[in-house]
Amino acid sequence: MKQDVSVNHKLIPEDVIGQEMQYHPAQSKQEAWQKAAEALVLRELLLQEAYKQKVAGVDNDEAQLIDDLLAQMIVVPPAEDAECLAFYQAQAHRFIDEHGQNLSYADVEPLIKIELAARAGRQALSVYLKTLVAQSDLKGLVMGKAWLPVKMMN
């Protein structure tokens, strides 16, 4: 359909991209191919970086290598109290109990900390992936914006 892709001189054959397409629903075959190719490029970049950083032994599976790398490289500090309070004040209309009453800050503070940490984690992951892509030697593919995890924040 398209062509082979390589990332840092590692070939990702067209047939492998074709097989990956089934996991990337899209409006067209071209869009599915693009999403599949981008996913495989990111996977390959993360694996290459995991081996470069020596995050784990050779016998670990690929998913574990990537998890270990991300745990090492993506460190999200806990949200500050002032940031949590500001979020609560800006979003107070979202924190309503079953009787229509506003929940207190103390009741929702743990949830706010989780939400802010998740947002910060997605942002840090996005920056990390953009950096890996920018530093790579990528041929046969122009990375689109669909692969950025930041889009999940909205």
Side-chain angles (χ1 to χ4, degrees):
M1 178 178 193
K2 290 283 185 182
Q3 62 188 19
D4 292 339
V5 172
S6 69
V7 58
N8 298 329
H9 309 288
K10 170 79 188 245
L11 179 67
I12 302 174
E14 181 181 348
D15 62 323
V16 172
I17 298 169
Q19 292 169 10
E20 179 73 13
M21 286 173 60
Q22 66 183 316
Y23 304 111
H24 302 277
Q27 298 292 327
S28 68
K29 284 186 177 184
Q30 181 177 350
E31 182 184 356
W33 187 94
Q34 179 76 24
K35 288 179 175 183
E38 289 178 359
L40 291 169
V41 163
L42 291 176
R43 180 180 153 276
E44 182 59 35
L45 282 171
L46 289 165
L47 288 171
Q48 289 177 11
E49 190 65 15
Y51 288 115
K52 180 179 166 185
Q53 298 292 331
K54 298 177 181 152
V55 296
V58 178
D59 60 342
N60 284 6
D61 67 33
E62 292 178 346
Q64 187 63 52
L65 284 170
I66 291 170
D67 287 348
D68 291 348
L69 172 70
L70 294 176
Q72 179 180 314
M73 304 303 288
I74 309 290
V75 178
V76 179
E80 298 288 329
D81 290 337
E83 182 183 8
C84 292
L85 184 57
F87 182 87
Y88 174 77
Q89 290 170 340
Q91 301 290 326
H93 63 280
R94 292 177 52 199
F95 303 113
I96 307 294
D97 68 13
E98 65 274 4
H99 305 293
Q101 301 298 312
N102 282 20
L103 295 168
S104 72
Y105 175 68
D107 289 336
V108 296
E109 180 184 16
L111 298 173
I112 291 171
K113 286 184 183 249
I114 291 168
E115 172 66 18
L116 294 177
R119 289 180 181 201
R122 286 189 297 266
Q123 183 63 39
L125 177 60
S126 176
V127 169
Y128 183 61
L129 293 175
K130 285 180 185 180
T131 301
L132 289 178
V133 169
Q135 294 172 348
S136 71
D137 180 17
L138 181 60
K139 292 188 172 58
L141 179 71
V142 175
M143 295 293 280
K145 295 187 186 266
W147 59 274
L148 295 176
V150 170
K151 71 180 186 144
M152 300 184 301
M153 290 179 60
N154 297 332

